Amino acid sequence: RVQLVESGGGSVQAGGSLRLSCKGSGYGYSSKCMGWFRQAPGKEREGVATIYTDGGSTYYPDSVKGRFTISQDNAKNTVYLQMNSLKPEDTAMYYCAAGWGDSCPGVFLSPTTPYWGQGTQVTVSS
């Protein structure tokens, strides 16, 4: 079965950086796309980055564009999220997700994908 394991979360001061990793396993072929989402207490889950396995196209919402970078190492089935210039409002649980077929419509990975990691906490203090 598909497994996604995140790592790299932690606490950092505003303006700092963190790099999250997500290693996938349990599937025989590469996902069509992978992405990172976040959810803060009392808020809806928000997509923050998507990358397509074939070609490497990336997508970001305006809230993180220019600060976050998603990348991939297909040989390792691993996706990374480099987060720079972090702000207190970036504090959330960050989740990795993978998609195939209709979950990857050509832009952002759909939040309806059934394949999720367990999450890693990112806390940014002011």
Side-chain angles (χ1 to χ4, degrees), residues 33-37 46-52 58-65 101-112:
C33 68
M34 293 189 73
W36 290 92
F37 292 75
E46 172 191 21
V48 296
T50 295
I51 188 165
Y52 280 73
T58 58
Y59 299 89
Y60 307 93
D62 289 343
S63 58
V64 307
K65 197 173 293 182
D102 292 345
S103 292
C104 305
V107 282
F108 292 102
L109 169 61
S110 171
T112 61

Side-chain angles (χ1 to χ4, degrees), residues 55-121:
S57 296
T58 58
Y59 299 89
Y60 307 93
D62 289 343
S63 58
V64 307
K65 197 173 293 182
R67 301 189 298 121
F68 289 12
T69 302
I70 188 171
S71 61
Q72 62 189 351
D73 184 334
N74 290 338
K76 296 181 179 179
N77 273 350
T78 300
V79 170
Y80 306 96
L81 184 68
Q82 178 67 44
M83 303 184 294
N84 298 329
S85 301
L86 283 161
K87 305 174 181 180
E89 51 263 45
D90 294 319
T91 295
M93 186 71 80
Y94 282 71
Y95 298 89
C96 173
W100 285 263
D102 292 345
S103 292
C104 305
V107 282
F108 292 102
L109 169 61
S110 171
T112 61
T113 181
Y115 306 110
W116 294 87
Q118 81 288 351
T120 185
Q121 179 68 36

Side-chain angles (χ1 to χ4, degrees), residues 22-43:
C22 171
K23 182 168 179 59
S25 63
Y27 45 95
Y29 56 96
S30 296
S31 61
K32 184 176 179 182
C33 68
M34 293 189 73
W36 290 92
F37 292 75
R38 67 185 180 188
Q39 188 165 20
K43 294 189 176 181

